[in-house]
Amino acid sequence: MDERGLRGLIDRVKAGGLSRRAFVKRMAVVGLTAPLANQLLAFSGVAMAQSNAPYKPTKRGGGGLLKVMWWQGPTLLNPHFAVGTKDQDASRLFYEPLGAWDRDGNLQPKLAASIPTREDGIAADGKSVTWKLKRGVKWHDGKPFTADDVVFTWAYASDPATAAVSSGSYKDVVVEKVDDFTVVVKFKQPTPFWADAFVGWAGGIIPRHLFGDYIGAKSRDAPTNLKPVGTGPYRFKDFKPGDLVTGEINLDYHVPNRPYFDAIEMKGGGDAVSAARAVLQTGEFHFAWNLQVEDEILLRMEKGGKGRVVITPSGGIEHLQVNNTDPNVEIDGERSSLKVKHPTLTDPAVRQALALLIDRDSIEKHIYGRIGLATPNYISNPEKFRSKTTKYEFNIDKANALLDKAGYARGPDGIRAKDGKKLKWVYQTSINQPRQKTQQIIKQALQKAGIDVDLKAVTASVFFSSDVANPDTYPHFYADLQMYNNGMNAPDPEVFLRQFCSWEAAQKENKWQGRNITRWQNKEYDEAHKAAQVELDPVKRAALLIKCNELVVNNQVVIPLVARPGAVAVISGLVANISGWDNNTWDLANWYREA
């Protein structure tokens, strides 16, 4: 779809001739996710949809104890030190941002009085956004919440010595107080995606009066890191790191009739299967997080009738990464160096053949089911939001023909080679039953095309670790192929797609902290992404981001396997609005249980 076509559709929505839902579906055809389509409307002057989820309780409290399970137990309760989802979700029991992302990618106010718009808050030049704060909000210790707390949160998170995991959202902006209930966020350059600082998982506002003496180098010494004082629906009661978090109802919560439950217990430990069983079979818990379980097992559990699996659209994508550098050659103490190209995987014919040897349909059918939907797109959603323009194909004969034509001949051992370079690779991923089964499916197909792979499984705590000295972490990528799931932390792909920019290459020089794990270098991609970063015209920006996605997919930089929507277990009767673009606990104040 060209720019003129996009503008025509937006004009129809503005005039009432096309519904928002129909527009979103049309955008899916060109590979634009539903949340980004909603933002495209918002940036073009169509107000974001307000949450219309009904809330039936007519009074605060009375719901008893809410028992939830995170099979990876939280270890701290400061949102700005929360590296993993478990700590982010636990911190959100007590802390709130200015705005949060709902299931459809609309921005909903939390501590903000309203969401900024082009008419009220967003500067025409894209260099600032003004937030109006909700009045009458109190911290759990009774102190008033004001603009001073918002400005302090920015100073705290942006200070390099604080070493906040959220620093990326704050270090390049300046935040100023306008009055006690108004702040302005200023950007260095035109910034079309302004909803980053103070929004979503990284947006938790912390109290200046309790953290003020613990900014910078003293940040880890704050008692409040483990005993939070927030503005959320529950007050902190007790915390046993890695095991249990408890909270009690906040009787002064700033939203009427909320929360419904009198107390909350977040239990940690165990594994995904036992967590699912505790909700779906025994009914011991009301909610279980992150069901990384084969769908066949979940379906059997659901037959007990005590609960259900809730599938939520998200930007998660289980994918195969293709190394553009040689992991077997060491240069200056570094493998997979940008100085040495991969001997076979930089050949377009080899990459195209590899993509043809991925049986996505079998991976979906026999492993993931509802929680892993076969897709050709890296920027993807559940089925109703998938792109219809990009295609995938499983065709061993076509792959063999491609390799024959490219000059890769089978040797006596059946393995193809060209100029002495064999198609023999190391294929790694984390230890996880669905992933090991996926490895086997892919290996069998590769063998039929004369490609041999050694399968490697790394303990998840090591594979996803930030230990720069450990060569088995995924940012090192000391293998030819590797597989895992990642996704957008916000319903806008600009930051997510930064992982393919040349300047983001993970390497020894930056302690392997660069986002570009595949080390792909492409001038056309770099230029498109740079242009999208500062393009204020929403239609032009959308077209640039679509182009970035197409370049990644069509060059087989990564090979998408299955889109991974969020999957949680919910006991019968529990009403919980889950978002795939924010924390699982983003809307905890509105949870309740029907009789």
Side-chain angles (χ1 to χ4, degrees):
M1 179 177 293
D2 60 18
E3 181 181 334
R4 182 178 179 182
L6 278 171
R7 293 191 190 281
L9 288 177
I10 292 171
D11 288 342
R12 287 178 61 191
V13 175
K14 287 181 176 179
L18 183 69
S19 71
R20 177 185 292 269
R21 182 177 295 275
F23 175 80
V24 169
K25 288 183 176 180
R26 292 287 292 274
M27 290 301 94
V29 174
V30 293
L32 206 63
T33 60
L36 187 55
N38 276 318
Q39 286 196 48
L40 182 59
L41 290 176
F43 295 158
S44 300
V46 181
M48 282 195 176
Q50 296 300 305
S51 178
N52 57 5
Y55 183 78
K56 296 181 180 179
T58 56
K59 67 173 184 176
R60 176 173 289 143
L65 176 65
L66 174 63
K67 297 181 68 178
V68 298
M69 177 172 281
W70 264 245
W71 51 272
Q72 293 178 13
T75 55
L76 55 80
L77 298 174
N78 182 329
H80 298 284
F81 294 156
V83 175
T85 304
K86 58 186 176 55
D87 295 331
Q88 295 168 8
D89 286 355
S91 298
R92 201 70 170 266
L93 269 61
F94 311 107
Y95 293 106
E96 297 176 297
L98 296 186
W101 299 108
D102 70 11
R103 179 186 178 96
D104 297 321
N106 294 303
L107 194 56
Q108 304 293 347
K110 290 297 180 182
L111 290 177
S114 59
I115 298 301
T117 64
R118 285 295 176 113
E119 293 74 29
D120 185 17
I122 303 174
D125 63 2
K127 290 187 175 182
S128 70
V129 59
T130 300
W131 289 89
K132 295 179 180 178
L133 311 183
K134 194 170 186 179
R135 297 170 182 263
V137 178
K138 295 180 181 179
W139 294 102
H140 292 159
D141 61 4
K143 302 287 186 181
F145 160 74
T146 71
D148 291 329
D149 298 301
V150 180
V151 174
F152 171 77
T153 298
W154 160 72
Y156 176 93
S158 62
D159 187 334
T162 300
V165 69
S166 59
S167 63
S169 298
Y170 299 93
K171 63 183 180 66
D172 294 326
V173 303
V174 173
V175 180
E176 297 176 355
K177 174 182 175 180
V178 177
D179 58 43
D180 283 347
F181 296 100
T182 311
V183 298
V184 59
V185 180
K186 296 182 177 180
F187 309 106
K188 294 179 180 178
Q189 61 184 8
T191 303
F193 184 60
W194 51 267
D196 186 13
F198 309 120
V199 171
W201 73 271
I205 310 299
I206 58 176
R208 183 183 69 164
H209 65 282
L210 294 177
F211 282 95
D213 293 333
Y214 298 96
I215 193 170
K218 296 180 179 180
S219 62
R220 294 307 194 275
D221 299 329
T224 324
N225 287 338
L226 299 177
K227 296 180 179 180
V229 176
T231 58
Y234 296 97
R235 297 174 185 264
F236 173 79
K237 184 176 181 183
D238 194 23
F239 179 37
K240 296 179 175 61
D243 179 26
L244 186 68
V245 182
T246 59
E248 58 189 11
I249 191 170
N250 177 10
L251 295 176
D252 288 326
Y253 189 56
H254 54 87
V255 181
N257 302 328
R258 274 90 163 168
Y260 167 76
F261 294 100
D262 300 302
I264 186 169
E265 287 184 358
M266 175 182 280
K267 177 66 176 173
D271 55 38
V273 174
S274 61
R277 185 178 295 114
V279 175
L280 302 175
Q281 286 190 323
T282 70
E284 180 184 358
F285 285 81
H286 298 97
F287 177 91
W289 159 82
N290 192 18
L291 301 185
Q292 294 184 13
V293 182
E294 292 177 61
D295 199 29
E296 180 184 355
I297 296 173
L298 294 176
L299 288 167
R300 288 202 304 267
M301 289 184 180
E302 283 183 297
K303 289 181 179 178
K306 294 200 172 176
R308 68 191 188 282
V309 175
V310 175
I311 309 295
T312 307
S314 78
I317 180 74
E318 189 80 15
H319 65 287
L320 194 66
Q321 292 184 338
V322 182
N323 202 337
N324 282 263
T325 56
D326 193 338
N328 299 310
V329 174
E330 185 172 307
I331 299 289
D332 300 326
E334 177 182 15
R335 292 158 56 191
S336 288
S337 168
L338 288 171
K339 298 176 183 177
V340 186
K341 291 184 177 181
H342 197 284
T344 56
L345 285 170
T346 48
D347 186 334
V350 173
R351 300 165 82 96
Q352 291 164 19
L354 176 58
L356 287 166
L357 294 168
I358 307 299
D359 190 356
R360 295 168 173 85
D361 291 334
S362 289
I363 294 170
E364 174 187 331
K365 180 179 179 181
H366 299 296
I367 301 175
Y368 287 100
R370 295 169 294 169
I371 59 174
L373 307 172
T375 179
N377 272 324
Y378 194 61
I379 303 297
S380 185
N381 266 87
E383 188 172 6
K384 63 181 179 178
F385 296 136
R386 288 186 202 162
S387 168
K388 303 299 189 298
T389 58
T390 53
K391 305 292 182 182
Y392 66 82
E393 180 182 6
F394 176 57
N395 193 320
I396 294 175
D397 291 339
K398 188 179 290 187
N400 273 308
L402 268 174
L403 294 172
D404 286 339
K405 185 177 180 180
Y408 291 87
R410 293 178 187 265
D413 55 3
I415 303 174
R416 290 180 181 272
K418 178 182 178 181
D419 300 329
K421 300 171 183 176
K422 284 190 172 186
L423 297 186
K424 182 174 175 63
W425 307 320
V426 173
Y427 170 15
Q428 70 179 16
T429 189
S430 64
I431 295 177
N432 171 295
Q433 190 173 19
R435 290 195 175 125
Q436 270 67 73
K437 288 191 173 183
T438 301
Q439 280 185 313
Q440 290 294 338
I441 288 174
I442 293 175
K443 178 174 181 172
Q444 290 172 13
L446 293 178
Q447 287 176 329
K448 293 178 181 178
I451 301 172
D452 188 32
V453 290
D454 292 328
L455 302 181
K456 180 178 179 180
V458 182
T459 302
S461 60
V462 172
F463 190 70
F464 295 110
S465 144
S466 57
D467 183 0
V468 299
N470 195 319
D472 284 331
T473 65
Y474 76 92
H476 280 79
F477 198 0
Y478 286 173
D480 304 284
L481 306 171
Q482 71 177 359
M483 177 179 69
Y484 59 96
N485 172 66
N486 67 354
M488 293 178 276
N489 287 326
D492 184 281
E494 180 192 305
V495 174
F496 185 59
L497 286 170
R498 192 181 298 165
Q499 66 189 282
F500 302 111
C501 294
S502 297
W503 59 87
E504 285 280 349
Q507 51 193 308
K508 182 180 178 181
E509 183 181 359
N510 58 28
K511 299 185 185 298
W512 292 277
Q513 297 303 298
R515 296 171 184 263
N516 186 346
I517 309 299
T518 65
R519 287 113 184 174
W520 182 56
Q521 309 283 288
N522 184 279
K523 183 178 179 181
E524 185 180 7
Y525 185 94
D526 289 348
E527 291 176 348
H529 195 276
K530 283 181 179 178
Q533 291 176 27
V534 296
E535 180 54 69
L536 293 179
D537 186 302
V539 177
K540 290 181 179 179
R541 181 171 181 267
L544 288 165
L545 293 173
I546 291 170
K547 179 179 181 180
C548 287
N549 176 57
E550 291 174 347
L551 284 168
V552 169
V553 172
N554 294 335
N555 284 282
Q556 295 85 36
V557 182
V558 292
I559 300 175
L561 304 178
V562 291
R564 292 281 303 276
V568 299
V570 174
I571 200 167
S572 295
L574 180 68
V575 177
N577 186 3
I578 306 301
S579 170
W581 311 103
D582 209 322
N583 296 123
N584 290 277
T585 47
W586 79 279
D587 199 41
L588 188 63
N590 288 313
W591 288 23
Y592 67 95
R593 192 172 185 186
E594 296 178 317

